[in-house]
Structures are given as C-alpha cells and as structure tokens.
Amino acid sequence: MIPPLLKGKPLPRHIAIIMDGNGRWAKSRGLPRIFGHRAGTQSVREAVKVCGELGIEALTLYAFSTENWARPKAEVSALMGLLSKMLSTEVSELNKSGVRLMAVGRLHELPAKVRGELEKAIDKLKSNTGLILNLALNYGGRQEIADAVNKIIHLGIKKVDEKILSKYLYTADLPDPDLMIRTSGEMRISNFLLYQLAYAELYVTPTLWPDFRREHLYQAIASFQARERRFGGA
Ligand code: IPE
Ligand code: IPE
Ligand code: MG
C-alpha cells in the first residue's frame, strides 16, 4: 500500500497536523467560515485513511486550541457541534479500518455533548490495533506543560528530568511527532505540542486544509524523507 514515491525510506512514525485555513477557504468562496470547517471534515477522513494505509503509527490532528474559545460564539458552537457529529458518524468507519482513538487537551472543559461522544468513540475503538488517531481538543502546549508540572507536584515528586516530564504530558503513550504539517502557509506553531515537536521536521504548505488530499500528504512525507535528521549530532 506504499506508493512508489514513498518507497525505500522510512516513513514517519507519528505525523502531527495543524489543520489550518478553513476560514480562508470559505471566505474565498463567499461562504460563512463554518462551511470551511465542514469542508475540512473530508480532509480529515482522507488523512486518516491514508495514514492507515501507509501503516503510520500515530496521527495527531489539532482540532481546537485553548485559544480558539476567543472566536465568535456562533463559530465555537458550530465547531463543537461538528465535532460531536463527526465523532458519532465516523466511528463505525474508523472501526472498520482498525483505528484507535485518543484525545489530548483539557477535555473536561469541553461541552458535555462532545465529551460524551468522545468517550463513546474512544471506548468503541479501544481494542483496535491500527492507526492511533489522536485528537487535540481544547489543547494548548503551554497548558499541557503546566498540567504535567501540577501532576508531578501533586505526586510529591521532588526532581524532574525530561523523562519524567514526558511521562506526565498528555502524550505519554505516543512517540514524539517526526513530521509536523501545517496547512495554509502560516509559519508558526500556535501552541501545538511545544515539548514534543523538539526535533520534528516541519512542513508548511500553502494548500488550505479543506483542499488537502492524499497527494498533498504524500508530498509532505516525501519531503520528510528527503531531510537529513541530525538531532544535534554532526
Ligand atoms: C482551522 O481553520 C480550524 C480551526 C482552528 C478550528 P481556521 O478557522 O483557523 O481558518 P483560517 O485560519 O481562519 O483560514
Ligand atoms: C491553530 O490554528 C489551531 C488549530 C488548527 C486548531 P489557528 O488558526 O487557531 O492559529 P493562529 O491563530 O493562526 O495562530
Ligand atoms: Mg487559522
């Protein structure tokens, strides 16, 4: 299932994506922003499918940041509605593909409906052994680090090193992302996986998220494969 373009070199174990540009996609069509979010759901399906086919271990999707609450109320509630709808409608397809689901972020602050659908979906998919789909929901990298430190203090741990810190991050069970993709051209991290991206290869494409398809993902992975990762070595 590996296309010729990607043969011969190791694939990333963990891909993380900042799915950006939904608003601009809608605006360029004279549509309200929520239409862009809706259109983006097709790109989510495709990214999950392709990562599954390639045998990628984990895919983290940045779906809602801790800063996104600052958006107009109507957009936030439309996004939350879309999320809970996606969680309930996609679960059987995800199950067929063997996807396991997890979520990172301050999940307790999400609307009850979203939390409910999330818990149901995670539970339904919990014994699958294929791609780990990790949704970053109400996620902020700084908040995650603060939460980890508070857990560590609470446990009475007196000395912290990188290993301990990693263990108390939301992503404790995942390898660090090897490749971080951001769509729609912005050259910034926007509070995404600050700790985990330390040595990730970054790939920014001008393609807007709702236009992001299989070929774009292949291109991003091919670019990753052409990089020389040094991890500080010579
Ligand atoms: C990303 O698209 C989706 C979320 C942040 C939830 P945006 O809504 O940020 O789209 P732009 O950046 O305004 O185009
Ligand atoms: C990052 O995109 C958050 C998500 C994709 C969920 P934003 O559109 O919120 O980021 P900024 O505001 O451009 O930095
Ligand atoms: Mg944006």
Side-chain angles (χ1 to χ4, degrees):
M1 286 277 219
I2 314 259
L5 175 69
L6 304 181
K7 280 205 172 121
K9 286 204 168 166
L11 294 166
R13 286 179 69 189
H14 181 180
I15 300 176
I17 307 183
I18 302 179
M19 310 184 287
D20 197 20
N22 296 352
R24 277 161 278 178
W25 184 93
K27 194 172 173 213
S28 72
R29 284 163 175 75
L31 298 167
R33 296 175 55 83
I34 185 64
F35 282 71
H37 299 313
R38 251 182 239 153
T41 60
Q42 192 49 38
S43 311
V44 170
R45 278 186 206 99
E46 188 148 331
V48 171
K49 186 163 174 246
V50 172
C51 286
E53 288 173 12
L54 293 174
I56 303 287
E57 224 171 289
L59 171 67
T60 295
L61 298 178
Y62 202 5
F64 194 86
S65 77
T66 45
E67 287 73 33
N68 287 149
W69 298 107
R71 295 186 177 204
K73 233 179 157 174
E75 183 176 348
V76 170
S77 61
L79 272 168
M80 291 299 154
L82 200 57
L83 250 165
S84 52
K85 195 175 128 209
M86 277 285 274
L87 284 165
S88 74
T89 56
E90 300 300 317
V91 75
S92 57
E93 196 55 41
L94 292 173
N95 198 26
K96 274 188 222 152
S97 326
V99 173
R100 186 150 65 87
L101 185 66
M102 62 176 268
V104 291
R106 290 188 171 162
L107 306 177
H108 58 278
E109 291 170 1
L110 290 168
K113 180 99 174 45
V114 177
R115 256 183 302 137
E117 293 298 345
L118 187 63
E119 277 162 27
K120 262 197 280 176
I122 289 174
D123 189 62
K124 173 119 200 250
L125 305 174
K126 66 171 186 257
S127 11
N128 287 339
T129 55
L131 174 74
I132 297 171
L133 173 59
N134 178 34
L135 300 178
L137 297 174
N138 190 25
Y139 175 87
R142 289 180 169 179
Q143 290 80 352
E144 176 183 34
I145 293 168
D147 286 353
V149 170
N150 281 318
K151 278 182 229 163
I152 290 167
I153 293 172
H154 187 77
L155 290 166
I157 296 168
K158 287 284 183 299
K159 198 166 179 336
V160 167
D161 58 19
E162 301 93 296
K163 258 217 177 87
I164 300 214
L165 203 43
S166 299
K167 186 172 158 195
Y168 291 97
L169 293 175
Y170 310 142
T171 51
D173 303 324
L174 294 177
D176 285 342
D178 306 291
L179 169 62
M180 196 285 274
I181 301 170
R182 182 166 188 151
T183 56
S184 84
E186 241 66 71
M187 302 276 187
R188 55 177 173 256
I189 303 282
S190 301
N191 207 11
F192 189 42
L193 302 174
L194 295 181
Y195 191 89
Q196 299 88 334
L197 291 177
Y199 271 102
E201 295 296 328
L202 307 182
Y203 180 88
V204 176
T205 169
T207 304
L208 304 174
W209 178 250
D211 294 325
F212 194 84
R213 288 291 171 272
R214 172 183 295 273
E215 307 76 58
H216 303 102
L217 187 49
Y218 286 172
Q219 280 309 325
I221 296 172
S223 163
F224 165 84
Q225 289 176 317
R227 311 271 180 96
E228 185 196 350
R229 300 185 84 187
R230 295 202 195 112
F231 300 99

